[in-house]
């Protein structure tokens, strides 16, 4: 509907058949044309802007709608969410599955009060992990997120790493006891090169090998914000552990905190 401003470019013969009056009063036609073209252009830009922001609006679903969905699946959690007195929620060991996790993630996306959320020891898989990553991209309040002992794989790990490139609110992220491998490890290390505020990252008990170790060592040389990096019980070689410790000395992550 916003292509009407292209008319002036039609050949004269089609113009004539569409608007015979144009030729009778060329002066008026010419004077009016730039203005209407400009207006058309403005309208087109407005339409385009509206289209571009529409997905944004759709992405952040209304909390009420989401709470109703949560209510249907898990009334117990919905009540806890609504009645959260302080700014932290403990949803650990609540048998939360992917579907419920996705709703919680969407609630988190637009939430402006929670600073701490614990979702450890649930049944969250990659879908919930990816949804939580999306939520973190728009959440500006959450400081601590504990996702330990769930069922994420590298896909969710990579998504969370992407979120850490955008999110600047999070200070503490717990991802221990997963099956996270080198790919997720490298992505997280990469994200920490640019993330300005994360101070604690817990990755103990995963399947990180030397490829991930190398990326962490490189990141530790330049990241001066990180205070704690838990990397114990992974699959690093003795040589790699030495390299990581060496690298940590140049930053602020102290040896004792590395757990290596």
């Amino acid at each position: 509907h916003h292509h009407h401003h292209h008319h002036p470019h039609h050949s004269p013969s089609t113009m004539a058949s569409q608007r015979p009056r144009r030729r009778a009063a060329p002066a008026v036609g010419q004077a009016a044309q730039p203005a209407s073209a400009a207006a058309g252009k403005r309208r087109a830009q407005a339409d385009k802007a509206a289209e571009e922001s529409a997905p944004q609006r759709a992405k952040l679903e209304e909390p009420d709608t989401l709470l109703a969905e949560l209510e249907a699946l898990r009334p117990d959690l919905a009540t806890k969410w609504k009645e959260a007195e302080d700014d932290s929620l403990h949803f650990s060991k609540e048998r939360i599955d992917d579907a419920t996790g996705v709703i919680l993630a969407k609630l988190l996306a637009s939430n402006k009060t929670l600073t701490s959320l614990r979702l450890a020891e649930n049944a969250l898989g990659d879908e919930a992990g990816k949804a939580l990553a999306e939520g973190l991209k728009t959440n500006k309040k959450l400081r601590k997120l504990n996702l330990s002992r769930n069922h994420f794989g590298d896909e969710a790990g990579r998504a969370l790493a992407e979120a850490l490139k955008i999110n600047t609110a999070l200070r503490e992220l717990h991802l221990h006891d997963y099956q996270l491998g080198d790919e997720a490890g490298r992505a997280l290390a990469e994200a920490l090169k640019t993330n300005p505020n994360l101070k604690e990252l817990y990755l103990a008990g995963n399947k990180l090998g030397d490829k991930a170790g190398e990326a962490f060592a490189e990141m530790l040389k330049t990241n001066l914000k990180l205070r704690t990096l838990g990397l114990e019980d992974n699959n690093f070689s003795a040589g790699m552990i030495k390299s990581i410790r060496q690298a940590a000395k140049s930053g602020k992550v102290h040896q004792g905190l590395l757990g290596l």
Side-chain angles (χ1 to χ4, degrees):
H1 59 271
H2 47 249
H3 294 304
H4 47 255
H5 56 286
H6 292 314
H7 281 315
H9 307 303
H10 283 327
S11 68
S13 61
T14 58
M15 283 302 294
S17 61
Q18 279 170 345
R19 296 181 187 164
R21 281 189 307 270
R22 263 288 163 82
R23 293 164 83 191
V28 178
Q30 277 160 0
Q33 198 178 297
S36 65
K41 201 169 191 173
R42 272 200 305 279
R43 268 199 302 279
Q45 277 166 348
D47 288 342
K48 193 167 186 284
E51 269 168 40
E52 278 169 9
S53 63
Q56 248 54 43
R57 276 201 301 277
K59 207 166 68 182
L60 296 183
E61 289 170 50
E62 283 303 311
D64 295 351
T65 314
L66 292 165
L67 276 169
E69 285 177 38
L70 185 59
E71 190 87 50
L73 283 177
R74 293 289 301 268
D76 55 330
L77 298 183
T79 303
K80 270 191 180 181
W81 185 282
K82 279 186 260 192
E83 293 174 359
E85 287 302 315
D86 57 1
D87 47 13
S88 63
L89 269 178
H90 304 302
F91 280 172
S92 297
K93 299 186 189 175
E94 289 276 13
R95 306 179 315 288
I96 299 172
D97 60 9
D98 255 353
T100 307
V102 167
I103 297 173
L104 290 173
K106 288 178 178 175
L107 277 166
L108 186 65
S110 60
N111 185 278
K112 293 177 175 57
T113 53
L114 278 185
T115 58
S116 172
L117 177 60
R118 287 188 196 175
L119 285 166
E121 297 184 64
N122 282 295
L124 303 174
D126 276 331
E127 283 315 302
K130 286 187 291 188
L132 282 160
E134 278 307 304
L136 284 175
K137 287 180 183 177
T138 53
N139 180 293
K140 295 177 172 51
K141 189 74 178 168
L142 200 70
R143 295 284 185 266
K144 295 180 183 183
L145 180 59
N146 189 338
L147 296 171
S148 294
R149 299 202 177 100
N150 277 287
H151 306 180
F152 298 164
D154 273 359
E155 200 181 348
R158 277 202 314 272
L160 286 163
E162 282 307 306
L164 286 179
K165 288 181 181 174
I166 295 168
N167 177 297
T168 56
L170 212 60
R171 301 291 189 266
E172 201 178 299
L173 179 60
H174 296 253
L175 289 171
H176 48 79
D177 299 300
Y178 277 96
Q179 301 292 309
L180 297 180
D182 277 342
E183 204 183 331
R186 285 178 73 105
L188 286 162
E190 198 58 40
L192 284 183
K193 283 183 178 175
T194 56
N195 179 294
N197 291 326
L198 197 75
K199 287 184 167 51
E200 302 175 38
L201 177 61
Y202 297 92
L203 287 165
N206 278 291
K207 300 260 179 290
L208 305 175
D210 283 3
K211 278 203 175 75
E214 217 168 287
F216 278 112
E218 191 187 327
M219 175 273 296
L220 283 169
K221 289 173 187 164
T222 56
N223 183 316
L224 301 178
K225 275 289 189 295
L226 209 61
R227 296 280 189 280
T228 307
L229 179 62
L231 289 174
E232 63 273 28
D233 301 324
N234 277 287
N235 303 339
F236 302 127
S237 65
M240 182 49 66
I241 290 175
K242 250 198 193 107
S243 302
I244 294 172
R245 279 186 184 157
Q246 198 56 45
K249 281 182 182 160
S250 52
K252 289 189 178 170
V253 176
H254 307 298
Q255 254 177 282
L257 300 177
L258 273 166
L260 283 180

